[in-house]
Amino acid sequence: HEKYKLSPEVMAVLMPLAEIEYNQSSFYIQLAAIANRLGFYKAEKYFLDESLEERSHFLKHYEYIQGMGSEFQVPAMPRPETSAINLYELAEKALNMEEAVTEAYKAASKRMLELDPATFTHLQWFMNIQIEAVKFYMDACAKLTGLDSKSGELIAEKSIF
């Protein structure tokens, strides 16, 4: 029904967030591939699971938008360009990504509070996830800081992932 459709202003805030989640799915697959190449198989599995989780977040946006009778457009998926030489760099890249996504959700939530309280509530679920993700990767980076050997990283990997 037309009166329940999300406004163009709300869609302009929501669609970039859906695209972020879609792109994060690809980003975490790339981190998994790097972790595999470096021999960090627990981290590889973790990042593959993260990719699936990000895909489910994308689908949560899809279901919300479609459920409100609005039209959803699947974004193009760019190829993630990233590299790392050790487990710390992988965790740091994930932390940087999650911090940027958190900032995007903060800005969107602030705007949505003015535009549409129901959609603001939808976004709060994502904010809670983001807070936990940033905390996890901050802890991971802290545990990996100062480790300068592969054996040290392998031991830390078991306690992190």
Side-chain angles (χ1 to χ4, degrees), residues 1-153:
H1 195 272
E2 285 296 314
K3 80 177 195 175
Y4 298 108
K5 280 189 174 185
L6 299 170
S7 72
E9 294 85 5
V10 168
M11 290 296 291
V13 174
L14 273 182
M15 284 308 298
L17 297 174
E19 185 172 352
I20 286 170
E21 299 292 350
Y22 195 60
N23 292 341
Q24 274 191 289
S25 178
S26 179
F27 170 77
Y28 278 113
I29 290 172
Q30 183 65 33
L31 291 189
I34 295 169
N36 174 279
R37 182 176 43 78
L38 295 174
F40 297 110
Y41 303 116
K42 287 182 72 71
E44 174 193 23
K45 167 113 176 61
Y46 184 85
F47 290 135
L48 287 173
D49 289 345
E50 281 290 288
S51 173
L52 292 173
E53 184 178 321
E54 299 302 341
R55 182 67 174 236
S56 76
H57 297 169
F58 167 73
L59 292 173
K60 189 169 184 76
H61 282 305
Y62 168 84
E63 290 165 358
Y64 181 79
I65 291 168
Q66 290 290 105
M68 297 301 287
S70 298
E71 186 175 330
F72 187 91
Q73 293 292 319
V74 176
M77 185 180 286
R79 182 172 183 251
E81 297 293 333
T82 193
S83 62
I85 61 168
N86 56 38
L87 191 55
Y88 175 83
E89 284 189 9
L90 284 170
E92 184 179 49
K93 288 182 183 303
L95 174 60
N96 292 340
M97 171 67 82
E98 295 296 349
E99 286 175 332
V101 172
T102 299
E103 290 306 312
Y105 274 103
K106 281 181 186 177
S109 293
K110 186 176 179 179
R111 178 74 177 118
M112 202 56 68
L113 192 54
E114 300 168 6
L115 291 175
D116 184 354
T119 303
F120 171 80
T121 301
H122 167 75
L123 294 182
Q124 293 317 286
W125 182 87
F126 292 93
M127 277 302 304
N128 290 331
I129 298 291
Q130 286 309 125
I131 291 165
E132 293 303 313
V134 168
K135 197 180 328 177
F136 175 84
Y137 288 114
M138 285 178 70
D139 289 346
C141 286
K143 289 176 183 175
L144 293 164
T145 297
L147 298 179
D148 54 2
S149 70
K150 174 80 180 257
S151 59
E153 286 189 324

